[in-house]
Amino acid sequence: MSRKTTMIAAIREAIDEEMLRDENVIVLGEDIGELGGPFGSCIGLLDKYGPDRIIATPISEWGFTGIGVGAAMRGKRPIVELMYNDFISVCLDPVMNQAAKLHYMTGGQVKIPMVIRAPMGTGRRGAAQHSQNMEALFAHIPGLKLVCPSTPADAKGLLMTAIRDDDPVVFLEHKLLYPQKVEMPDDVAPIPLGSANIRREGSDLTILTWARQVNFSLEAAEKLAADGVSAEVVDLRSLVPLDWDTIRDSVSKTHRVLIAEEDVKRCGFGDELSAQIMEELFDQLDAPVRRVAALNSSVPFCAELEDEIYPNPERIAAEAAALLKE
């Protein structure tokens, strides 16, 4: 059985079910109490679990992220919600130098079972300080795991796994995916990290992507199909750890790769994907790896300009068509 639901509702379900399952799960963040969170991830949870577990914080990301690290060290399983992933800039030390490193620095004596949830992405006219995609930053930091779901079912299943994980997990959610209502099974099981999902099978080229760009890539694949092109769309879902087996199998079948990401092109996560494929799967390629990504620009406030800087289905389809000519 299945039902239509939104990603934010699926995330709220995951938090609710995990809090019910494990009394050590707590949530910290701004406006998550009576308001239920900036995007609604905690609606109704304060009444159900009380202020000792749904902890509304002051506007101090550095402070409550640090509290989350300390709580994790003491056996809690905190979910720290940042209002936007951009705000990691004011709490990077407890994330990068504490959460990511303490397990290693203590020889495994300390675990940090902590989830950092944060909305990301363009499209809401939030301008330069509220619209960034920061996957590459988190992927670069050893000790952090990184998840970027594209569907309600994946968001729920991956979040359940992240909450139960003994390592810190950064869980990035595209804001424009929150309200989209799609089918989700009634019963969603935890989804292992490091497991990609082939959203559309194909034979002519592989499109590697994640988060909102999955939807755009599927639209592009439909456009390509009208021209007789068979594109395989691989939703990575988990960037760290990465499902290399699925990537290898897809590339070995199609022999052409297009990477679609919303982050800026320079030093984006697509760079690392491209490098790994070129280094380890070079003999499987019939053409160089191509990347389609955002322009190397801050996000404009102007709607028309914002829409111009990041990939859309038309740009993805055009890059794919160019790749097939090489």
Side-chain angles (χ1 to χ4, degrees):
M1 299 291 291
S2 65
R3 56 199 161 91
K4 282 194 172 184
T5 191
T6 62
M7 179 181 284
I8 197 64
I11 288 168
R12 185 165 58 246
E13 285 183 21
I15 295 171
D16 187 8
E17 291 175 18
E18 290 303 301
M19 293 189 75
L20 187 63
R21 188 187 68 86
D22 185 348
E23 64 181 11
N24 287 313
V25 178
I26 61 174
V27 187
L28 302 94
E30 298 158 358
D31 295 334
I32 66 169
E34 293 181 0
L35 293 178
F39 293 92
S41 65
C42 293
I43 291 175
L45 299 186
L46 176 63
D47 292 338
K48 190 170 184 178
Y49 297 105
D52 290 338
R53 296 185 66 192
I54 300 294
I55 305 169
T57 67
I59 302 175
S60 176
E61 288 81 6
W62 183 91
F64 65 77
T65 303
I67 291 172
V69 175
M73 293 175 68
R74 298 291 294 178
K76 298 295 183 181
R77 291 188 174 272
I79 304 168
V80 173
E81 178 176 321
L82 299 179
M83 193 175 292
Y84 294 94
N85 83 161
D86 312 62
F87 299 164
I88 198 70
S89 60
V90 297
C91 59
L92 192 55
D93 179 71
V95 177
M96 181 175 73
N97 286 327
Q98 309 304 329
K101 294 180 171 62
L102 285 172
H103 183 75
Y104 172 80
M105 293 177 65
T106 61
Q109 296 179 76
V110 172
K111 296 178 180 178
I112 310 293
M114 172 181 177
V115 177
I116 300 171
R117 289 186 46 248
M120 68 171 183
T122 58
R124 292 186 80 242
R125 318 314 183 196
Q129 297 173 335
H130 298 76
S131 306
Q132 296 172 83
N133 290 268
M134 307 184 74
E135 305 96 296
L137 171 63
F138 298 114
H140 181 72
I141 300 172
L144 296 180
K145 297 178 179 179
L146 176 61
V147 176
C148 301
S150 67
T151 68
D154 285 352
K156 182 175 181 179
L158 290 165
L159 183 55
M160 294 166 73
T161 301
I163 293 169
R164 300 179 192 186
D165 200 294
D166 284 337
D167 294 318
V169 180
V170 176
F171 203 93
L172 300 181
E173 307 145 7
H174 199 292
K175 298 185 287 288
L176 290 191
L177 295 179
Y178 279 154
Q180 295 184 7
K181 185 172 285 191
V182 299
E183 289 290 330
M184 183 180 82
D186 288 335
D187 296 317
V188 176
I191 299 171
L193 304 188
S195 59
N197 184 23
I198 299 177
R199 294 287 301 275
R200 181 187 179 111
E201 294 193 359
S203 57
D204 293 328
L205 79 154
T206 296
I207 302 177
L208 301 177
T209 187
W210 56 93
R212 188 190 182 204
Q213 290 298 318
V214 173
N215 290 358
F216 285 176
S217 296
L218 290 170
E219 290 183 41
E222 286 290 335
K223 295 177 183 294
L224 293 166
D227 296 325
V229 175
S230 176
E232 181 150 294
V233 178
V234 179
D235 180 356
L236 296 178
R237 303 194 294 192
S238 168
L239 304 190
V240 182
L242 184 66
D243 186 351
W244 183 249
D245 290 342
T246 295
I247 294 172
R248 182 194 60 231
D249 292 346
S250 182
V251 174
S252 298
K253 177 174 65 173
T254 67
H255 307 291
R256 283 180 166 82
V257 182
L258 176 65
I259 300 168
E261 64 180 315
E262 194 171 297
D263 198 359
V264 295
K265 190 172 186 179
R266 184 176 60 224
C267 298
F269 186 74
D271 282 6
E272 175 60 25
L273 281 177
S274 177
Q276 286 191 39
I277 292 167
M278 294 292 283
E279 289 171 2
E280 300 187 35
L281 300 174
F282 182 80
D283 291 342
Q284 296 292 335
L285 295 174
D286 288 342
V289 176
R290 275 184 175 251
R291 293 179 292 127
V292 56
L295 303 180
N296 292 318
S297 167
S298 295
V299 180
F301 175 71
C302 171
E304 291 79 9
L305 292 178
E306 182 181 17
D307 290 342
E308 282 296 315
I309 74 164
Y310 58 81
N312 54 39
E314 291 72 26
R315 283 181 59 193
I316 295 171
E319 289 289 340
L323 175 60
L324 290 169
K325 295 177 182 179
E326 293 186 341

